[in-house]
C-alpha cells in the first residue's frame, strides 16, 4: 500500500502594519520593481512545483486588499486567508491552526522577504525529510557584541559559530502546533520566531540550512531601494537564462531601427521569425511627434493585426559644456530621449494592452551619476528610468510590461560620432545588447533596469 505524501504548505505572514518603516501603507503592499512586495513573494511559492498550498495570514485592515491581489494575480495555490494577531507569534499561531494534517511539511515565511529564491525553499523541504524543525541562516559578516545594561561590551562571541536567521523556517506541522500551544499559556516566553519556540521548549533539534544574502527583509525605507536594485540584478540573470527564442507569429516595432542597437534588434528579431517594422528619422518618423509615432504604429498593426513588442532604441547624444550648448542642441536631446520615450509609451499602450505585450526603453550608465559634458543627456536617461518605473505600475493592470536596457559602452555609430575610434575589445557588440533586449522583452518582469555588461576576456 502506497503511503500518501504529506502536503507541503507555505504559511506567509502578511499581517504587519509598517510602523517601524514609518510608511503610510503596510510594507507588503509597497511597489518594488513593478509589483507589490506581496505579489513578488507569492510568485515564488506559487511557482515552486513542490509547494501544494499557501495560507496567507493578514490583518483585518488589509484583508480586502490581499484578496483582491490574490484574485487579480490568479494565485491558485492560496487555499486560505486567515486573520493574524497583534504579534508575529500570534500570527504564526493563526497560520498553523489552519493546517489540519500534523504530518504536513510547513514553511513559515515573512512576506516582506520578496527576494527569496526557489533553491532555499527546496533546501528547507529536503531537510524536513530528516529533521522536524529547520532554520534558514547565513554567516555573519560583522562582529556581534553582547551589551551590558550599562552600555558596555559584555562579551564578543566567536563569529565563526554565529549565523543570521532568515525565513522560511520549516517544521512538521504537529511540532509547530505543540510549540504554539505551550507558548499560548506562557507569559514568560521571549522569542522572536518559531524556531525559537521549539528551542525554548526543547521539542526538537533544529537543523540549519543555507540561506541567501539577497533574501533581505524589508523593514526600513532604505531597504526598499536596496530591494529594487537587487531585483534589477536578478532580472539580468533571468534575461540571460535559456528561453524560447522563437518569435514566430509576433509583431515587433523598433523605433531607431535603422542603425546601431536598434538595427541589431531588428535583424535578430527577424531571424527568430518575427514580423518586424523598423522606423527612424530616415522614414520621416520623429518619435517626439505623436502623429509620426501614431502613423508608424497604425502601419505596423495594419499589416499583421497586432503589436506584441515595441522597442525604442532611438536617441541623441550631444557632448559639450552646458555653458556653450545652444538651446537647439539641448532641446534636441530632451525631445528625442525623454519626450520621445513618453510619446512611444503613450501611443503604444493601446496596442500592447490588447496583446499583454512588452515595451523596452533604453538608458545609459550615466543615469546613476551625471557626467560633465553630457549633463543633459545624463539627465534625460535618468528620467527614462523613472518614467519606466512609474509606468510599470500604471500598465500592470493591463498586463503590459515595460523595462529598460542599460548597455555598457557599445560599438554603435552614435558612440563613434561622439568619442571617435576606440579599441573594439573595450566595447560591447550591438548584437549582444540585442539578444539581452529580446530576452527581457519576452520575460515576465516589469519596471526593471537590465544592465548589460561586457564579459571579462
Amino acid at each position: 500500500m502506497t503511503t500518501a505524501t504529506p502536503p507541503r504548505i507555505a504559511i506567509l505572514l502578511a499581517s504587519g502594519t509598517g510602523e517601524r518603516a514609518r510608511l503610510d501603507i503596510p510594507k507588503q503592499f509597497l511597489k518594488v520593481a513593478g509589483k507589490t512586495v506581496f505579489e513578488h513573494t507569492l510568485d515564488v511559492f506559487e511557482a515552486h512545483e513542490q509547494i501544494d498550498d499557501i495560507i496567507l495570514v493578514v490583518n483585518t485592515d488589509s484583508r480586502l486588499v490581499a484578496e483582491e491581489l490574490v484574485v487579480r494575480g490568479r494565485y491558485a495555490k492560496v487555499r486560505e486567508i486567515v486573520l493574524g494577531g497583534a504579534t508575529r507569534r500570534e500570527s504564526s499561531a493563526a497560520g498553523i491552526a489552519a493546517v489540519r494534517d500534523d504530518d504536513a511539511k510547513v514553511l513559515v515565511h515573512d512576506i516582506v522577504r520578496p527576494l527569496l529564491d526557489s533553491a532555499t525553499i527546496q533546501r528547507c523541504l529536503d531537510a524536513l525529510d530528516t529533521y522536524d524543525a529547520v532554520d534558514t541562516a547565513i554567516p555573519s559578516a560583522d562582529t556581534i557584541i553582547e551589551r551590558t545594561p550599562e552600555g558596555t561590551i559584555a562579551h564578543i562571541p566567536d563569529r565563526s559559530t554565529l549565523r543570521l536567521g532568515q525565513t522560511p523556517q520549516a517544521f512538521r506541522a504537529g511540532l509547530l502546533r505543540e510549540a504554539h500551544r505551550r507558548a499560548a499559556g506562557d507569559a514568560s516566553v521571549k522569542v522572536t520566531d518559531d524556531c525559537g519556540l521549539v528551542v525554548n521548549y526543547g521539542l526538537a533539534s533544529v537543523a540549519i540550512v543555507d540561506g541567501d544574502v539577497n533574501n533581505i527583509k524589508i523593514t526600513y525605507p532604505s531597504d526598499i531601494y536596496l530591494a529594487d536594485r537587487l531585483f534589477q540584478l536578478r532580472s539580468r540573470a533571468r534575461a540571460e537564462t535559456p528561453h524560447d527564442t522563437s518569435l514566430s507569429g509576433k509583431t515587433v516595432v523598433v523605433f531607431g531601427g535603422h542603425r546601431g542597437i536598434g538595427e541589431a534588434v531588428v535583424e535578430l528579431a527577424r531571424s527568430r521569425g518575427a514580423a518586424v517594422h523598423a522606423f527612424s528619422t530616415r522614414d520621416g518618423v520623429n518619435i517626439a511627434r505623436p502623429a509620426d509615432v501614431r502613423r508608424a504604429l497604425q502601419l505596423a498593426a495594419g499589416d499583421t493585426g497586432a503589436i506584441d513588442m515595441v522597442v525604442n532604441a532611438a536617441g541623441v547624444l550631444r557632448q559639450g559644456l552646458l555653458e556653450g550648448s545652444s538651446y537647439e542642441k539641448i532641446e534636441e536631446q530632451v525631445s528625442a530621449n525623454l519626450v520621445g520615450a513618453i510619446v512611444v509609451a503613450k501611443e503604444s499602450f493601446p496596442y500592447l494592452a490588447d496583446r499583454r505585450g512588452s515595451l523596452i526603453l533604453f538608458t545609459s550608465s550615466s543615469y546613476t551619476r551625471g557626467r560633465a559634458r553630457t549633463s543633459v543627456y545624463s539627465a534625460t536617461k535618468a528620467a527614462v528610468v523613472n518614467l519606466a518605473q512609474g509606468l510599470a505600475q500604471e500598465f500592470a493592470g493591463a498586463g503590459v510590461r515595460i523595462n529598460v536596457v542599460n548597455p555598457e559602452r557599445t560599438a554603435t555609430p552614435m558612440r563613434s560620432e561622439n568619442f571617435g575610434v576606440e579599441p573594439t575589445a573595450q566595447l560591447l557588440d550591438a548584437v549582444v545588447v540585442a539578444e539581452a533586449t529580446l530576452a527581457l522583452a519576452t520575460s515576465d518582469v516589469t519596471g526593471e533596469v537590465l544592465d548589460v555588461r561586457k564579459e571579462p576576456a
Side-chain angles (χ1 to χ4, degrees):
M1 182 176 179
T2 303
T3 304
T5 302
R8 294 154 297 196
I9 301 171
I11 298 174
L12 304 186
L13 304 181
S15 57
T17 60
E19 289 183 0
R20 278 191 291 177
R22 298 180 181 178
L23 299 168
D24 295 333
I25 61 174
K27 296 171 292 184
Q28 58 268 30
F29 300 125
L30 290 170
K31 286 285 185 74
V32 177
K35 288 184 179 181
T36 63
V37 170
F38 181 96
E39 291 169 292
H40 280 300
T41 306
L42 269 177
D43 286 343
V44 178
F45 286 95
E46 183 77 21
H48 199 287
E49 60 182 13
Q50 291 196 27
I51 295 296
D52 300 309
D53 295 305
I54 298 171
I55 296 172
L56 281 173
V57 184
V58 302
N59 60 44
T60 303
D61 293 338
S62 63
R63 179 163 192 157
L64 290 178
V65 177
E67 289 176 345
E68 180 182 346
L69 289 173
V70 168
V71 171
R72 189 178 73 188
R74 299 182 179 180
Y75 294 108
K77 291 184 180 179
V78 176
R79 175 164 61 81
E80 292 190 49
I81 301 178
V82 301
L83 296 178
T87 66
R88 186 191 188 284
R89 179 160 60 85
E90 290 173 350
S91 294
S92 183
I96 194 61
V99 178
R100 279 78 174 175
D101 188 342
D102 277 352
D103 289 328
K105 289 183 175 183
V106 173
L107 273 65
V108 181
H109 185 65
D110 296 324
I111 207 162
V112 290
R113 290 185 183 270
L115 285 145
L116 174 66
D117 65 317
S118 177
T120 300
I121 294 176
Q122 193 61 52
R123 286 192 290 272
C124 289
L125 291 172
D126 290 344
L128 283 178
D129 291 337
T130 305
Y131 298 90
D132 289 335
V134 179
D135 201 358
T136 304
I138 58 173
S140 173
D142 299 314
T143 297
I144 305 297
I145 62 174
E146 184 178 340
R147 180 182 180 275
T148 68
E150 295 75 29
T152 59
I153 294 177
H155 177 59
I156 301 178
D158 179 1
R159 188 171 67 184
S160 67
T161 67
L162 300 178
R163 295 294 182 270
L164 303 178
Q166 298 181 327
T167 63
Q169 295 179 334
F171 308 89
R172 289 288 176 177
L175 177 72
L176 185 57
R177 195 188 319 279
E178 174 62 17
H180 279 288
R181 186 192 68 77
R182 297 193 186 192
D186 185 356
S188 66
V189 64
K190 294 181 180 180
V191 296
T192 58
D193 61 17
D194 296 289
C195 282
L197 290 179
V198 172
V199 172
N200 184 72
Y201 296 118
L203 297 176
S205 297
V206 180
I208 301 172
V209 299
D210 290 336
D212 185 342
V213 69
N214 293 324
N215 183 21
I216 64 170
K217 183 177 181 181
I218 295 179
T219 305
Y220 303 105
S222 59
D223 297 328
I224 300 165
Y225 299 103
L226 176 58
D228 194 66
R229 182 57 179 163
L230 288 171
F231 271 114
Q232 290 173 15
L233 294 173
R234 176 175 285 187
S235 77
R236 180 187 179 193
R238 195 178 317 178
E240 291 175 347
T241 58
H243 64 289
D244 180 9
T245 58
S246 174
L247 295 176
S248 178
K250 303 292 186 182
T251 297
V252 179
V253 175
V254 182
F255 292 101
H258 290 317
R259 70 176 199 160
I261 294 172
E263 183 179 20
V265 171
V266 169
E267 293 176 355
L268 186 60
R270 280 182 178 151
S271 73
R272 293 179 178 176
V276 185
H277 296 262
F279 301 100
S280 70
T281 53
R282 182 190 304 181
D283 309 299
V285 175
N286 181 340
I287 61 170
R289 293 200 295 253
D292 288 4
V293 174
R294 196 174 303 130
R295 173 170 52 84
L297 293 169
Q298 287 171 349
L299 179 64
D303 188 42
T304 62
I307 297 174
D308 299 279
M309 301 175 198
V310 175
V311 176
N312 179 33
V316 172
L317 169 61
R318 297 287 182 257
Q319 289 197 86
L321 298 176
L322 182 64
E323 181 183 7
S325 297
S326 68
Y327 280 107
E328 287 77 16
K329 285 188 176 181
I330 293 171
E331 183 178 359
E332 181 186 21
Q333 293 178 89
V334 173
S335 178
N337 301 339
L338 178 55
V339 176
I342 293 170
V343 172
V344 168
K346 180 176 173 61
E347 296 296 330
S348 299
F349 176 76
Y351 296 96
L352 296 176
D354 284 343
R355 302 284 285 185
R356 300 181 74 84
S358 176
L359 172 62
I360 299 291
L361 304 178
F362 277 80
T363 188
S364 157
S365 58
S366 64
Y367 89 88
T368 59
R369 185 177 179 83
R371 295 170 184 164
R373 293 181 54 77
T374 59
S375 56
V376 174
Y377 177 81
S378 300
T380 62
K381 291 303 183 179
V384 166
V385 172
N386 281 270
L387 172 70
Q389 290 173 335
L391 291 181
Q393 297 180 29
E394 293 185 25
F395 290 178
V400 176
R401 305 176 309 284
I402 176 170
N403 293 287
V404 184
V405 173
N406 176 29
E408 195 176 30
R409 296 173 301 164
T410 306
T412 65
M414 186 175 79
R415 181 158 189 95
S416 62
E417 289 164 2
N418 282 275
F419 298 99
V421 178
E422 299 175 282
T424 304
Q426 295 180 8
L427 301 177
L428 267 174
D429 189 320
V431 174
V432 173
V433 182
E435 289 172 343
T437 299
L438 291 180
L440 183 60
T442 54
S443 74
D444 61 355
V445 301
T446 189
E448 299 187 11
V449 179
L450 172 65
D451 295 330
V452 184
R453 296 286 175 258
K454 188 174 180 62
E455 295 299 327

